[in-house]
Amino acid sequence: MEDSAFSRLKPYLASDAMVDGGDIPTCPIPVFTKGMQANSFFFGHPKWASEYFEDSHRSEPFKERWQAVMGSWDDKIVVDIGCGPGNVYATLGGLPKLLIGVDISPSALKMAREVGYTPILTDAHHLPFIDGFADIVVANATVHHCDDMGRILQEAGRLVRPGGLLFTDQDPQRTAWNLKGVGLFIRDIRYPLYRLLRSKHYIPYEERYARWKTEIHNQRPGDGITPSVYYEALEPLGFEVKLYPHSHDLGAEVLEGKNGRNSWRLRLSQRLSGINPDTPEAAQSIMCIARRIS
């Protein structure tokens, strides 16, 4: 049999799935929302996607944190939802039995294929797969990019076999980003200041705005994810859910309950907004480790 992406996916596709087995297997997306359009555009942009691939989620703390949770991917069936250009596997490595990359950007999926993913273009709210076939399902910095966060988690969880793992990370915690007043003002003027100071943190407006549009649940004060979203989506599916708020400078220490320390810029904005930056509620992101026990 020809070793195509479609042939590798076929054993795990639902009987009623409509999948075009072309160069990149593709499912029809009846409602291509504004958020989906924004994500497809930004993560498929040749320059921005390459920069994102090189710079995002490639640090040693990220690698250490993820490997401490999951161990090796060798000989496992892994599904990476919102894989983008392939950052996670490029960072973690390993020899999965099958590594499926789900995204809605054709260009990003072409990049992910070069890294080692078996790509499929589909809406993560309506995945075309059978239940309970994956050893590990991951969604890195993905859930908050989607229109319905609870639905995304339910669909991801549906794919996990009993005893398998659903792991998400780097979705912004709502309580950390509820900036107000002077704190919000300082946050808003940071890029003009970066430009004035010729800081490495400066991002040109066109790129910054395009990326902001992808952050569906991280655009305004009070946006973000909450613990209840995870519990309500995953516990009815038979998952044991453990949540770890953290800043992005931590590795395996997150599993010890450490929250880390946000950048001084965010800490200042939080203090001026009445948020104690040294509490778990002020940590940038929530990491979810959900084991399917039934």
Side-chain angles (χ1 to χ4, degrees):
M1 179 183 292
E2 179 186 1
D3 185 26
S4 65
F6 181 77
S7 67
R8 294 193 292 274
L9 294 170
K10 189 175 181 180
Y12 310 106
L13 294 174
S15 60
D16 59 349
M18 298 175 61
V19 181
D20 176 5
D23 181 45
I24 291 180
T26 300
C27 293
I29 302 177
V31 180
F32 205 63
T33 67
K34 290 182 179 180
M36 292 178 181
Q37 294 171 38
N39 278 277
S40 181
F41 174 69
F42 179 84
F43 291 104
H45 189 282
K47 180 176 183 293
W48 301 338
S50 295
E51 292 173 348
Y52 180 82
F53 178 79
E54 294 296 333
D55 298 336
S56 298
H57 320 301
R58 304 301 301 275
S59 70
E60 281 303 313
F62 177 91
K63 182 177 181 179
E64 179 185 286
R65 187 168 70 243
W66 277 57
Q67 289 186 333
V69 172
M70 294 178 293
S72 170
W73 283 5
D74 290 359
D75 299 319
K76 294 183 172 66
I77 296 177
V78 181
V79 182
D80 184 351
I81 297 174
C83 66
N87 305 52
V88 170
Y89 185 54
T91 301
L92 298 183
L95 296 171
K97 177 181 177 181
L98 177 64
L99 174 61
I100 300 173
V102 172
D103 210 278
I104 56 171
S105 170
S107 297
L109 286 170
K110 288 178 182 178
M111 292 181 64
R113 181 175 58 189
E114 294 302 311
V115 177
Y117 284 83
T118 296
I120 182 167
L121 194 156
T122 188
D123 176 7
H125 297 83
H126 305 283
L127 295 170
F129 299 111
I130 60 176
D131 296 347
F133 75 93
D135 298 297
I136 298 173
V137 176
V138 301
N140 178 56
T142 293
V143 177
H144 72 282
H145 285 270
C146 300
D147 292 280
D148 187 334
M149 294 190 289
R151 172 75 182 190
I152 293 294
L153 290 168
Q154 290 170 343
E155 276 293 277
R158 182 178 64 79
L159 308 187
V160 180
R161 65 166 178 79
L165 181 72
L166 170 62
F167 180 51
T168 76
D169 197 7
Q170 301 209 162
D171 289 297
Q173 181 173 211
R174 180 182 296 176
T175 50
W177 298 99
N178 194 19
L179 304 178
K180 302 173 183 177
V182 178
L184 179 60
F185 174 73
I186 290 176
R187 182 77 179 168
D188 286 344
I189 65 168
R190 67 193 188 281
Y191 283 110
L193 289 176
Y194 292 161
R195 183 176 185 177
L196 181 66
L197 299 172
R198 298 186 178 182
S199 168
K200 66 179 181 179
H201 298 293
Y202 176 70
I203 301 172
Y205 174 79
E206 182 184 10
E207 178 180 355
R208 189 167 75 248
Y209 181 66
R211 185 163 183 173
W212 175 82
K213 289 174 69 176
T214 73
E215 303 269 342
I216 297 173
H217 295 281
N218 189 31
Q219 294 179 344
R220 295 168 296 275
D223 279 353
I225 200 162
T226 63
S228 62
V229 175
Y230 298 98
Y231 293 126
E232 291 171 7
L234 297 175
E235 286 185 337
L237 297 179
F239 281 90
E240 179 185 57
V241 178
K242 296 182 179 180
L243 303 179
Y244 300 85
H246 68 89
S247 62
H248 297 169
D249 63 335
L250 289 187
E253 310 98 299
V254 173
L255 298 177
E256 300 170 5
K258 296 181 179 179
N259 306 131
R261 188 176 179 86
N262 294 330
S263 70
W264 69 267
R265 297 177 299 277
L266 178 55
R267 289 175 62 85
L268 176 61
S269 290
Q270 288 177 329
R271 284 205 180 277
L272 293 171
S273 301
I275 300 169
N276 183 348
D278 297 314
T279 60
E281 292 76 18
Q284 290 169 278
S285 296
I286 295 179
M287 183 174 80
C288 171
I289 303 173
R291 181 76 62 180
R292 191 162 200 169
I293 56 178
S294 62

